[in-house]
Amino acid sequence: FQKHEFFVDMTCEGCSNAVTRVLHRLGGESFDIDLPNKKVCIDSEHNVDTLLETLKKTGKNTSYLGEKSAQ
């Protein structure tokens, strides 16, 4: 799996719950939400476009930050 990092303009718990909801719908995603820094890190076999489209369903301002190297 590739680790991707996205910026999602989340301001509250409700926002991060929305992100969780859309990602669960995609299925099989392992992800980490960093609410204070407005970042979502996703382990996925899906491509970036799919993930970006999915995150945009939350209605939040979203952008791709890049690949995260496995540490």
Side-chain angles (χ1 to χ4, degrees), residues 7-67:
F7 166 82
V8 182
D9 197 11
M10 303 173 285
T11 49
C12 63
E13 205 60 42
C15 302
S16 63
N17 288 342
V19 169
T20 301
R21 248 194 331 276
V22 295
L23 288 174
H24 274 311
R25 220 171 287 152
L26 199 54
E29 304 307 294
S30 154
F31 57 90
D32 207 32
I33 296 175
D34 179 350
L35 190 55
N37 294 313
K38 304 186 178 190
K39 284 183 184 167
V40 180
C41 189
I42 310 172
D43 277 332
S44 179
E45 58 201 354
H46 289 285
N47 64 29
V48 173
D49 292 340
T50 305
L51 295 171
L52 201 51
E53 281 312 304
T54 302
L55 288 171
K56 283 184 172 165
K57 288 179 188 161
T58 58
K60 306 277 164 223
N61 182 7
T62 305
S63 58
Y64 181 52
L65 296 173
E67 255 174 55

